[in-house]
């Protein structure tokens, strides 16, 4: 299989490594030419994904920021084979599919929204690895939900990544859920670490501190774009969280132990229910 990858950051680089390790030919488009050259020297990328190679790709994976993915696909859609499969790997889906489903239909290839649920707080090709997606969930937003052959083709095309499960959903449902499971934790972690007390934490912090602050270290331009592109869903989750925090603050400020115990028990029960 010939695979084209747009972007060689953590996700794109890990995709490239996974497909190369499985013996597939990998072409890549990367604006950092030194990084592209390094990937070629490392034997991960065979050649650039350009006007000469796009038309030979069986699978194209878009792994840069959402607006960049849309722009690239708009510019190169006429070069993509009609039997090719194009999947994006962005963190929001409504923006992507609203632009790319009509484009794919117009030019005859198949576009599917995708979101690999894997990553680290580190970014860049140097942190990419071929097993990043091993056992991880993959969320898919297909243009049609009754096309079982397409779903089989997707699983086959993505098999070198080693995903542990596949979830099929709508773009709207994806964005609502991801606001809670991914975007909110990044905001909370990033805001929490801004306390001046954080500078003196050494010797006083353990697992809970590490868990809460791990994703405070992030790629600011990328996350800012994702947050704004999922603005309504994220604002809803922020409002819920702020309301809950105000209840804790009120109970503590008023020395209302009974109310505080109730709030803490409610949170504990909510965690148990969510994990069932």
């Amino acid at each position: 299989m010939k695979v084209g990858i747009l972007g060689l950051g953590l996700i794109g680089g890990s995709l490239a490594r996974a497909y190369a390790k499985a013996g597939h030919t990998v072409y890549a488009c990367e604006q950092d030419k030194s990084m592209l050259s390094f990937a070629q020297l490392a034997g991960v990328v065979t050649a650039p994904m350009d006007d000469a190679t796009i038309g030979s790709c069986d699978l194209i994976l878009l792994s840069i920021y959402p607006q960049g993915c849309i722009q690239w696909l708009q510019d190169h859609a006429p070069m993509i084979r009609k039997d090719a499969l194009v999947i994006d790997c962005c963190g929001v889906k409504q923006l992507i599919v609203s632009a790319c489903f009509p484009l794919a239909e117009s030019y005859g290839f198949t576009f599917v929204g995708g979101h690999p649920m894997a990553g680290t707080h580190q970014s860049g090709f140097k942190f990419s690895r071929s097993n990043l997606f091993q056992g991880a969930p993959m969320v898919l937003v297909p243009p049609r939900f009754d096309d079982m052959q397409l779903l089989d083709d997707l699983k086959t095309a993505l098999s070198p990544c080693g995903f542990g499960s596949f979830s099929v959903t709508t773009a709207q449902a994806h964005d609502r859920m991801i606001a809670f499971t991914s975007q909110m934790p990044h905001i909370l972690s990033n805001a929490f670490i801004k306390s001046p007390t954080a500078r003196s934490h050494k010797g006083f912090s353990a697992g809970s501190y590490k868990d809460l602050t791990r994703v405070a270290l992030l790629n600011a331009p990328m996350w800012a774009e994702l947050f704004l592109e999922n603005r309504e869903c994220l604002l809803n989750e922020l409002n819920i969280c702020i309301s809950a925090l105000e209840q804790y603050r009120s109970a503590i400020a008023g020395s209302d132990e009974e109310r505080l115990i109730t709030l803490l028990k409610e949170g504990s029960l909510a965690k148990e229910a969510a994990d069932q």
Side-chain angles (χ1 to χ4, degrees):
M1 182 164 56
K2 293 183 178 179
V3 183
I5 296 178
L6 176 64
L8 289 174
L10 175 68
I11 299 300
S14 295
L15 290 168
R17 290 183 186 277
Y19 281 95
K21 185 176 181 179
H24 300 287
T25 300
V26 176
Y27 302 122
C29 179
E30 168 58 55
Q31 64 179 1
D32 184 340
K33 300 307 178 186
S34 63
M35 184 58 65
L36 179 58
S37 296
F38 178 79
Q40 289 181 257
L41 288 172
V44 176
V45 173
T46 300
M49 180 172 65
D50 53 23
D51 293 0
T53 56
I54 290 173
S56 66
C57 292
D58 305 292
L59 172 67
I60 296 177
L61 300 164
L62 310 180
S63 303
I64 60 174
Y65 297 0
Q67 293 287 0
C69 288
I70 293 171
Q71 186 62 60
W72 186 90
L73 198 58
Q74 288 173 339
D75 292 342
H76 297 88
M79 306 174 191
I80 298 173
R81 280 189 0 219
K82 292 187 182 301
D83 61 344
L85 182 60
V86 181
I87 308 171
D88 85 278
C89 298
C90 300
V92 294
K93 293 275 77 74
Q94 292 184 80
L95 175 77
I96 290 284
V97 302
S98 63
C100 296
F101 280 165
L103 196 62
E105 185 175 2
S106 176
Y107 286 94
F109 59 85
T110 300
F111 177 85
V112 175
H115 188 179
M117 302 306 297
T120 72
H121 62 279
Q122 297 165 317
S123 60
F125 184 78
K126 66 179 179 179
F127 295 108
S128 64
R129 61 181 194 270
S130 62
N131 65 348
L132 180 68
F133 311 106
Q134 196 69 40
M138 177 62 165
V139 181
L140 298 171
V141 179
R144 300 174 304 280
F145 288 86
D146 59 350
D147 191 340
M148 300 310 296
Q149 183 60 55
L150 173 58
L151 295 178
D152 286 342
D153 291 345
L154 284 166
K155 291 179 181 180
T156 299
L158 294 168
S159 61
C161 302
F163 289 111
S165 64
F166 293 90
S167 299
V168 179
T169 188
T170 65
Q172 293 81 1
H174 169 277
D175 288 359
R176 283 196 303 270
M177 185 57 72
I178 221 67
F180 174 74
T181 62
S182 178
Q183 295 178 346
M184 276 296 292
H186 281 81
I187 288 178
L188 293 171
S189 180
N190 198 263
F192 173 78
I193 201 64
K194 291 178 181 178
S195 168
T197 311
R199 299 178 186 179
S200 305
H201 80 87
K202 292 182 179 179
F204 296 86
S205 57
S208 57
Y209 170 85
K210 292 178 181 178
D211 290 343
L212 185 54
T213 60
R214 181 180 66 84
V215 294
L217 186 64
L218 46 69
N219 180 335
M222 180 190 77
W223 282 103
E225 181 175 329
L226 292 174
F227 292 161
L228 293 177
E229 286 165 353
N230 201 25
R231 179 175 176 271
E232 295 304 321
C233 294
L234 187 53
L235 282 174
N236 180 62
E237 293 298 337
L238 273 168
N239 289 337
I240 292 171
C241 185
I242 290 169
S243 176
L245 288 173
E246 287 175 344
Q247 293 181 58
Y248 288 98
R249 186 184 185 283
S250 176
I252 293 169
S255 297
D256 190 341
E257 184 176 3
E258 184 176 349
R259 176 59 177 155
L260 186 57
I261 289 173
T262 297
L263 290 169
L264 293 170
K265 284 183 176 179
E266 288 174 351
S268 182
L269 290 171
K271 169 63 175 172
E272 290 180 0
D275 289 348
Q276 286 180 355

